[in-house]
Amino acid sequence: MQTAALVIVLAPLLGAIVAGLFGRQVGRAGAHWVTILGVAASFALSAWMFNAIALKGEEPFEWSLYRWATVGSLDLEIGFLIDKLTVTMMTVVTFVSLIVHIYTIGYMHDDPGYQRFFSYIALFTFSMLMLVMSNNFLQLYFGWEAVGLVSYLLIGFWYTRPTAIFANMKAFLVNRVGDFGLLLGIALVLMYAGSLNYQDVFAAVPDLARQSVGILAGQEWMLLTVVCLLLFVGAMAKSAQMPLHVWLPDSMEGPTPISALIHAATMVTAGIFMVARMSPLFENSDTALNVVLVIGALTAFLMGLVGLVQNDIKRVVAYSTLSQLGYMTVALGASAYGVAIFHLMTHAFFKALLFLGAGSVIIALHHEQDIRRMGGLRRYMPITWLTCLIGSLALIGFPAMSGFYSKDAIIEAVHHSDLPAAHWAHLAVLSGVFVTALYSFRLFFLVFHGKPRFEGHDANDNQAHAAGHAGSAHGHDAGHGHAGPPRESPAVVTIPLILLAIPSIVAGAIAAKAILKDGFFGGAIVVHEDHGAARLLAEEFHDWKAALLHGLTATPTLLAVAGLVTAWLLYWLWPSVPAVLAKIFAWPRLVLERKYGFDEFNEFLFGGGARGTGDVLSRVGDGVVIDGVGVNGTARLVGWISGRLRWLQSGYLYHYAFAMIIGVLLLLGYFVHGIGR
Amino acid sequence: MPNLPLLSICIWLPIVGGLWVLFAGARAPALAVKKESLIISVATLLFSVPLYTGFDLSTAEMQFVERLPWIPAFDITYHLGIDGIALPLIVLTTFTTVLVVLAGWEVVQDRAYQYFATFLILEGLMVGVFAALDAILFYVFWEAMLIPMFIIIGVWGGKRRVYAALKFFLYTFLGSVFMLVGLLYLYFKGGSFDILDMHRLPLALDAQKWLFVAFFLAFAVKIPMWPVHTWLPDAHVEAPTGGSVILAAIMLKMGGYGFLRFSLPIVPDGSYYFEGVMVALSLIAIVYITFVALVQRDMKRLIAYSSVSHMGFVTLGIFIVFRVMQESGSAEGAIMGMTGGMVQMISHGFVSGALFLCVGVLYDRMHSREIADYGGVVNTMPKFASLMMLFVMANCALPATSGFVGEFLVILASAKAGFWIAFLAATTLVLGAAYTLWMYKRVVFGAVANDAVAALRDIGCREQTILIALAVAVLLLGLWPAPLIDVMRASVENLVLNVVTSKLP
């Protein structure tokens, strides 16, 4: 088992090293083979381990790989903890990663950075596995920042585009704000628990729960509340919760496969995973859980609304991701950690599917991403159409699809939660269902149905397109010259779509009972007895068929169908109506199009503020005060005195040195004299 | 090699070799001079390796001790020896010098033999600083070291080299003169110039305060701490690449070393008295300087400011020990902070050295340090861009690079002293990443900015060797810092124990 776990982690790393450092030697095919084989090996072993631990019920295990450092009597180690939560994450991550690797062969076919891309995504898989398999906070932090690094590299993959290199820096810095919280949280954990190992820390929880910490003068806060809030700041950045969500929409500048892998299915769920992993801590702080609920509910609802007005196909899906991450966060806040992981898993399948489907559309239209210039693609791309339909239905929680079970469970869990914030969170996630259905099918109908709006794409838009990608030496303009009607994508693209469509349909029904009723995650997740949401959920749940029958007439389903029908009316049947509505609701629309002004606010306050502060400190602090008055002023003073005294012809710096030395000698004489006495 | 006087070899081999290059080099062909210099520096590095392999990890006592009478009238001895604090710095010195010799290989045309000779002599003097256990011997090395550096900046520097060289010299000289006064006072008080004797000398609180200030002036300028840091950006900007590397990688560390070797053990109560000021100055350095670095337009100036900020972590780690002891009541956190400060010194040696070399690579080609003159370098220099990315990330303290280890330990330790101290220190995660990545974005990413960038050629074999050697060091130290931390462990624990024991009579 230990060897298998080690291979799971190291196989993608090996692939990344070979493809990255020896890309020229192994060639394009070599690069994709070595990384795909590495990730495939990881997936196979993860599946085997999932079978052994999650299904056959073998004991979870933990071991330390090597001693990183010893400081004082504290051993910092790199090691693994493999339990049911871990194996689930490992399987999801390696599965989606494998699919994305295969898909990339088709998507990045013409790109000169082919090997580099494979190296990055394999490196990402390694980092993500290090993160989820860790048995301690140090390694968690390593994986946490490592996935951030790869995300940075991949968002800026097309490094000649100004927007891409702005987006990647923004992503890194916003994530660093989260890391800042996470690191302080870890520091407090170490300070009070005396260890960074999960098991040691969790064992110390009863003791920690009694402690308080003085952060602001005269105010004692519960230690675990402070720790959990700090850790949650980390989760907010990584899982893009408001107000640290601003980097995720911009991250769409990266190539589509990584939007699917990193910015939808896996990396952004690291925050959700981390909070679930830390459930023994969060369960002891109702304050933290309330904050989690509020943040998650706000994100789920407000970011869904923004999705309604986006016109870039990838950005619509990105805002949908934000909103769905909000759902998962809400589940965490309601202490239904298993449900959050359940939605994380189904979401990984259908959101990766939607992104890869969007990518398929984008290639077919020669890198057109504006949905106003799409439409009627169903005839040209039947497989993409069908798989995207499945993905969209799963996303809106249509009965019997995977998303139906997980999303319903979240809504029910919040309903059962007793926390003060749960009531409002419930309303938010419930209305979010309508919004989700509306933006999902707005996208779907605008892309695949209605009149084709891409004719003349080549004639009219080459210019605009070229302007948009100005300076792009790595663009995909090669395809533009001979663009006929859109064609269905090749098999390396469509097969991954189909492979993801299957679990998007069935994963929910298969896993529902185990996770919702039978406490699948076992000891990996701890729930305080006062937090009964998950328990009540389990009591209500019988099996997937009963849940399905019950769900058919439940409010969420009705809302989803209502959203779907509205989208159908507005964007298929009466396509002229949305323009009229836009005029009527001009103000709210403006707010949404500006995305509530977060970007402008951050740029003004933090961007401008930091540069302004730097300017002042640099010119006034260092320039005028220290150098001007202090250093050169001293020199001038010495010069002035020596000039007055006509000791030497003034003006040469070495005279100042002379003056200083004399002063020092006087001092020296004084000291020696003083001691001699 | 137990019988060889390894420390003396590491000091005198490069000095004698350097002098020989200096006198014989004028007539020798340039290539022969370079080869000789490389052989001397590599030999010194090889002689420093057994210091590490033969080092006894279990003791805090001085090892590889050499002791000869020198000026018996004043009881001044030629006394050398190293503990776990000095050893890593010596190996860092010998390692970096090899790279600096390589870095100057094709670049320096003007009086090349003098250039290499100066660096070799400088190497010996720097090793001497770290190995000396006699205060006068230490002081001689300490001051003598300024001369080659002064020459390096003044002769091979940029346009304002004279101003920068003088500023550097006056600043550091002024500081260290006060240290001499302090050392003389200690001699008159205790009757010995032996540093280890000074460690044991009981002193009244007032004397300790004055001594602390005297030491502070010497070491705070050197490391440098805010607000006596402004010589550093000027010196770096004007210094040639090799000078910047030595300055950042090793000379700054002498300030930290001085605090650990002199201030803390000789005047622990004085240090305790001033610890609040020191912590505050460190935090100012960390936060204030990151903002200043953000708006720099000159790459070298930016990295120089980044050095000041990173050195803030060294002084924070060193001087947080009192507060940590007080708050947590155990030495654990204090050891962690001091270890973090030490690791930060070593790591910064690699990372800032590498970054200055990277700027040097660009400067050799474009003769500009202005960020605005660059853009899209990755298009023409992909190998360089990848390696620089690694160093940039190390500068942002990304885990798995050496830059992470020190900052991580210091932040964890300072949380034990107070939440807000850790909070302020941790802001570097965001701000440090901001200035570093913003520079990288403007220089390396983007479309090719101008014809000069379009004409750049990627790094050659020699430059690759240098940068890869540093990359390996940075990664190794990040992935597995245990070998480094184990070496300094006994010494750090011993030092913490001494520091918290009062020396008041």
Side-chain angles (χ1 to χ4, degrees):
Chain A
M1 277 293 211
Q2 295 189 356
T3 323
L6 208 53
V7 173
I8 289 173
V9 173
L10 293 183
L13 178 64
L14 183 75
I17 291 173
V18 171
L21 297 186
F22 307 101
R24 195 160 345 131
Q25 287 85 342
V26 296
R28 295 166 84 88
H32 72 232
W33 274 114
V34 68
T35 49
I36 287 176
L37 283 177
V39 175
S42 272
F43 171 61
L45 286 169
S46 298
W48 173 71
M49 215 172 253
F50 180 84
N51 181 46
I53 289 181
L55 302 181
K56 290 204 186 127
E58 281 183 31
E59 279 299 301
F61 65 102
E62 183 200 359
W63 94 101
S64 286
L65 188 60
Y66 71 93
R67 183 178 62 93
W68 187 73
T70 307
V71 184
S73 60
L74 176 73
D75 279 321
L76 297 168
E77 291 175 322
I78 299 297
F80 301 106
L81 166 64
I82 313 284
D83 60 10
K84 288 180 173 177
L85 181 58
T86 314
V87 288
T88 310
M89 288 299 289
M90 283 158 62
T91 315
V92 172
V93 168
T94 49
F95 175 71
V96 179
S97 175
L98 180 62
I99 302 263
V100 167
H101 272 74
I102 297 169
Y103 177 90
T104 300
I105 299 176
Y107 192 85
M108 300 298 282
H109 188 260
D110 306 320
D111 201 280
Y114 194 76
Q115 288 96 320
R116 188 163 58 95
F117 191 85
F118 274 101
S119 170
Y120 286 170
I121 51 177
L123 184 64
F124 168 77
T125 313
F126 160 75
S127 312
M128 189 71 196
L129 288 169
M130 285 296 277
L131 193 166
V132 298
M133 290 165 73
S134 164
N135 72 344
N136 64 79
F137 285 90
L138 171 69
Q139 189 178 335
L140 171 79
Y141 191 77
F142 161 77
W144 197 264
E145 289 233 4
V147 291
L149 167 72
V150 189
S151 164
Y152 167 81
L153 292 172
L154 281 166
I155 296 170
F157 186 77
W158 288 313
Y159 45 70
T160 48
R161 294 186 188 171
T163 47
I165 57 177
F166 175 75
N168 76 343
M169 196 172 80
K170 181 172 169 183
F172 197 91
L173 293 184
V174 174
N175 269 294
R176 265 295 166 99
V177 175
D179 299 347
F180 170 80
L182 181 63
L183 184 58
L184 288 178
I186 293 175
L188 284 184
V189 164
L190 176 69
M191 181 174 161
Y192 285 92
S195 168
L196 287 181
N197 183 287
Y198 289 160
Q199 307 289 25
D200 296 349
V201 173
F202 296 159
V205 162
D207 185 35
L208 297 180
R210 284 193 300 273
Q211 306 219 32
S212 60
V213 55
I215 299 291
L216 294 172
Q219 285 203 313
E220 288 287 312
W221 290 15
M222 252 181 69
L223 169 67
L224 281 176
T225 299
V226 177
V227 168
C228 290
L229 288 177
L230 287 169
L231 295 177
F232 185 61
V233 170
M236 279 162 71
K238 198 61 73 187
S239 291
Q241 298 297 298
M242 282 169 65
L244 296 181
H245 66 282
V246 289
W247 64 274
L248 187 65
D250 285 6
S251 76
M252 295 300 125
E253 291 293 335
T256 307
I258 65 118
S259 306
L261 175 62
I262 300 184
H263 303 124
T266 55
M267 184 189 86
V268 291
T269 60
I272 310 297
F273 163 78
M274 189 266 283
V275 176
R277 175 55 88 205
M278 299 301 148
S279 58
L281 304 181
F282 278 85
E283 277 304 291
N284 281 289
S285 171
D286 278 8
T287 316
L289 287 176
N290 272 311
V291 172
V292 172
L293 262 180
V294 169
I295 298 281
L298 282 177
T299 309
F301 184 65
L302 293 179
M303 290 300 125
L305 285 181
V306 179
L308 289 174
V309 299
Q310 294 294 312
N311 288 318
D312 182 306
I313 183 168
K314 282 178 73 180
R315 287 196 180 235
V316 179
V317 190
Y319 276 101
S320 147
T321 306
L322 283 171
S323 161
Q324 296 305 307
L325 288 166
Y327 275 91
M328 295 176 214
T329 309
V330 166
L332 297 173
S335 295
Y337 303 95
V339 176
I341 299 294
F342 185 25
H343 195 57
L344 184 162
M345 179 184 77
T346 58
H347 177 259
F349 297 133
F350 62 68
K351 190 50 66 65
L353 170 61
L354 282 174
F355 262 118
L356 295 186
S360 174
V361 169
I362 292 170
I363 326 176
L365 294 179
H366 310 287
H367 292 265
E368 176 58 74
Q369 301 198 359
D370 193 329
I371 52 177
R372 287 167 300 191
R373 288 201 283 269
M374 297 180 181
L377 284 174
R378 179 190 167 187
R379 273 193 301 134
Y380 304 99
M381 323 180 65
I383 302 177
T384 306
W385 169 78
L386 182 64
T387 49
C388 280
L389 177 62
I390 293 170
S392 301
L393 288 173
L395 168 62
I396 70 170
F398 197 78
M401 310 298 279
S402 64
F404 164 76
Y405 295 98
S406 52
K407 192 177 281 185
D408 238 23
I410 290 177
I411 294 166
E412 277 301 295
V414 188
H415 188 56
H416 287 311
S417 173
D418 296 327
L419 293 178
H423 182 60
W424 299 105
H426 182 243
L427 275 181
V429 291
L430 206 54
S431 21
V433 172
F434 176 79
V435 179
T436 308
L438 186 56
Y439 69 67
S440 301
F441 276 87
R442 168 178 174 261
L443 178 73
F444 183 77
F445 291 134
L446 282 178
V447 172
F448 291 104
H449 294 276
K451 270 201 210 118
R453 296 180 296 278
F454 49 82
E455 273 119 342
H457 169 80
D458 285 275
N460 298 335
D461 291 327
N462 250 347
Q463 217 170 358
H465 191 82
H469 293 222
S472 159
H474 295 252
H476 297 257
D477 307 322
H480 280 283
H482 45 84
R487 275 188 306 255
E488 181 60 282
S489 301
V492 282
V493 171
T494 52
I495 290 176
L497 292 180
I498 296 167
L499 286 178
L500 282 170
I502 297 167
S504 296
I505 303 173
V506 300
I510 294 174
K513 184 156 184 289
I515 292 177
L516 299 181
K517 191 161 181 66
D518 302 340
F520 175 77
F521 294 108
I525 282 169
V526 174
V527 178
H528 197 279
E529 55 193 18
D530 292 351
H531 300 147
R535 197 178 60 243
L536 291 170
L537 211 59
E539 281 166 15
E540 280 178 4
F541 192 91
H542 297 293
D543 60 7
W544 65 270
K545 279 170 285 190
L548 178 57
L549 281 177
H550 173 259
L552 280 178
T553 53
T555 324
T557 310
L558 298 178
L559 283 170
V561 173
L564 199 163
V565 171
T566 314
W568 175 67
L569 292 174
L570 290 180
Y571 297 100
W572 193 358
L573 215 56
W574 307 317
S576 54
V577 176
V580 179
L581 287 177
K583 275 210 192 85
I584 299 172
F585 297 108
W587 266 106
R589 188 185 164 82
L590 189 70
V591 171
L592 292 183
E593 279 180 346
R594 287 288 176 85
K595 298 164 266 187
Y596 312 109
F598 278 105
D599 283 340
E600 289 81 356
F601 178 81
N602 289 337
E603 173 54 33
F604 174 75
L605 189 69
F606 297 115
R611 282 193 300 269
T613 313
D615 236 27
V616 169
L617 292 182
S618 174
R619 274 187 298 141
V620 180
D622 268 26
V624 178
V625 178
I626 297 177
D627 259 5
V629 178
V631 179
N632 297 342
T634 308
R636 269 196 296 275
L637 185 69
V638 175
W640 182 80
I641 293 169
S642 51
R644 289 295 106 179
L645 296 178
R646 304 256 176 226
W647 277 354
L648 298 154
Q649 297 158 6
S650 79
Y652 294 101
L653 268 168
Y654 58 83
H655 296 159
Y656 311 162
F658 191 72
M660 288 179 184
I661 291 168
I662 289 198
V664 167
L665 287 177
L666 287 175
L667 202 64
L668 192 75
Y670 171 76
F671 261 101
V672 174
H673 179 71
I675 295 155
R677 247 184 333 190
Chain B
M1 285 179 274
N3 300 322
L4 284 176
L6 285 169
L7 288 174
S8 281
I9 293 176
C10 287
I11 294 170
W12 296 107
L13 176 66
I15 293 180
V16 173
L19 288 172
W20 184 64
V21 167
L22 189 61
F23 291 117
R27 291 179 303 277
L31 187 66
V33 169
K34 288 171 187 166
K35 280 184 181 162
E36 282 159 17
S37 309
L38 185 62
I39 290 170
I40 294 167
S41 62
V42 170
T44 313
L45 173 62
L46 292 178
F47 276 112
S48 68
V49 170
L51 290 177
Y52 177 78
T53 51
F55 192 81
D56 182 356
L57 299 181
S58 61
T59 174
E61 296 296 310
M62 291 294 162
Q63 305 183 31
F64 301 98
V65 173
E66 297 169 30
R67 190 163 196 167
L68 297 168
W70 182 21
I71 311 174
F74 295 99
D75 197 18
I76 298 172
T77 53
Y78 177 78
H79 187 187
L80 303 176
I82 52 170
D83 60 359
I85 293 168
L87 170 63
L89 291 163
I90 289 180
V91 178
L92 178 70
T93 308
T94 54
F95 176 77
T96 310
T97 306
V98 174
L99 300 184
V100 165
V101 169
L102 275 176
W105 201 259
E106 287 155 20
V107 182
V108 178
Q109 305 294 345
D110 181 30
R111 285 175 278 189
Y113 70 99
Q114 295 177 5
Y115 180 85
F116 290 107
T118 317
F119 274 103
L120 288 174
I121 295 170
L122 182 57
E123 177 186 17
L125 297 174
M126 291 188 300
V127 174
V129 168
F130 295 128
L133 288 181
D134 182 278
I136 294 300
L137 186 63
F138 172 87
Y139 189 75
V140 168
F141 281 128
W142 177 275
E143 292 293 16
M145 189 182 71
L146 290 180
I147 299 163
M149 201 53 181
F150 178 75
I151 293 171
I152 287 167
I153 298 175
V155 175
W156 291 278
K159 287 192 196 75
R160 292 175 68 226
R161 58 178 181 261
V162 177
Y163 172 76
L166 272 169
K167 198 171 178 181
F168 161 76
F169 193 87
L170 288 183
Y171 243 117
T172 49
F173 184 69
L174 185 67
S176 43
V177 162
F178 288 103
M179 175 174 72
L180 180 63
V181 176
L183 293 175
L184 289 175
Y185 174 82
L186 283 166
Y187 172 73
F188 288 122
K189 193 86 184 169
S192 166
F193 275 120
D194 195 303
I195 296 174
L196 299 178
D197 288 340
M198 291 178 178
H199 287 184
R200 288 186 287 268
L201 183 68
L203 289 165
L205 184 58
D206 274 342
Q208 291 207 22
K209 283 185 203 166
W210 282 108
L211 283 168
F212 183 86
V213 172
F215 288 141
F216 170 81
L217 288 174
F219 303 136
V221 165
K222 203 78 168 183
I223 201 167
M225 292 178 80
W226 186 89
V228 285
H229 63 279
T230 54
W231 64 272
L232 186 74
D234 284 323
H236 268 306
V237 164
E238 298 305 324
T241 303
S244 289
V245 173
I246 292 290
L247 197 57
I250 302 159
M251 285 209 157
L252 303 189
K253 310 306 176 304
M254 293 180 174
Y257 176 78
F259 281 127
L260 292 169
R261 182 66 82 227
F262 289 87
S263 302
L264 288 183
I266 296 179
V267 288
D269 305 286
S271 308
Y272 179 51
Y273 183 80
F274 284 107
E275 62 89 28
V277 180
M278 298 302 284
V279 168
L281 291 181
S282 309
L283 289 173
I284 292 176
I286 292 169
V287 178
Y288 172 108
I289 296 295
T290 47
F291 281 111
V292 176
L294 195 65
V295 295
Q296 297 306 313
R297 300 192 182 92
D298 180 308
M299 284 189 273
K300 270 190 147 180
R301 199 166 258 280
L302 191 151
I303 301 169
Y305 274 112
S306 154
S307 292
V308 180
S309 170
H310 282 98
M311 287 301 107
F313 273 94
V314 176
T315 47
L316 181 62
I318 293 174
F319 284 96
I320 201 80
V321 292
F322 299 99
R323 205 157 278 225
V324 172
M325 286 291 292
Q326 217 165 36
E327 294 289 324
S328 69
S330 86
E332 284 291 302
I335 291 168
M336 180 178 276
M338 200 174 278
T339 309
M342 279 291 301
V343 175
Q344 176 79 348
M345 286 208 269
I346 303 300
S347 158
H348 180 262
F350 294 127
V351 176
S352 70
L355 283 174
F356 278 117
L357 284 166
C358 285
V359 177
V361 163
L362 291 176
Y363 184 81
D364 293 342
R365 289 163 172 73
M366 303 257 298
H367 297 284
S368 166
R369 297 179 308 259
E370 289 288 312
I371 293 173
D373 289 345
Y374 292 87
V377 168
V378 62
N379 297 292
T380 41
M381 304 177 71
K383 282 181 200 157
F384 169 77
S386 326
L387 281 164
M388 187 170 172
M389 168 59 80
L390 175 70
F391 300 126
V392 158
M393 282 299 166
N395 204 43
C396 304
L398 193 84
T401 65
S402 62
F404 167 70
V405 187
E407 291 190 13
F408 181 67
L409 293 177
V410 172
I411 290 172
L412 290 191
S414 53
K416 300 193 186 193
F419 178 79
W420 292 107
I421 297 178
F423 184 91
L424 286 173
T427 54
T428 193
L429 283 179
V430 184
L431 296 170
Y435 68 73
T436 320
L437 291 185
W438 195 31
M439 175 194 76
Y440 188 80
K441 169 183 175 254
R442 287 177 292 170
V443 171
V444 175
F445 281 148
V448 174
N450 52 45
D451 293 346
V453 172
L456 286 175
R457 62 193 157 72
D458 208 346
I459 44 176
C461 199
R462 180 183 57 89
E463 290 160 326
Q464 267 184 50
T465 312
I466 301 171
L467 292 179
I468 288 175
L470 282 164
V472 169
V474 164
L475 282 175
L476 202 63
L477 217 55
L479 290 170
W480 195 37
L484 172 66
I485 292 178
D486 288 349
V487 162
M488 56 181 71
R489 202 170 155 206
S491 301
V492 167
E493 283 174 12
N494 182 51
L495 180 55
V496 167
L497 212 67
N498 284 339
V499 162
V500 297
T501 316
S502 173
K503 273 178 71 179
L504 296 178

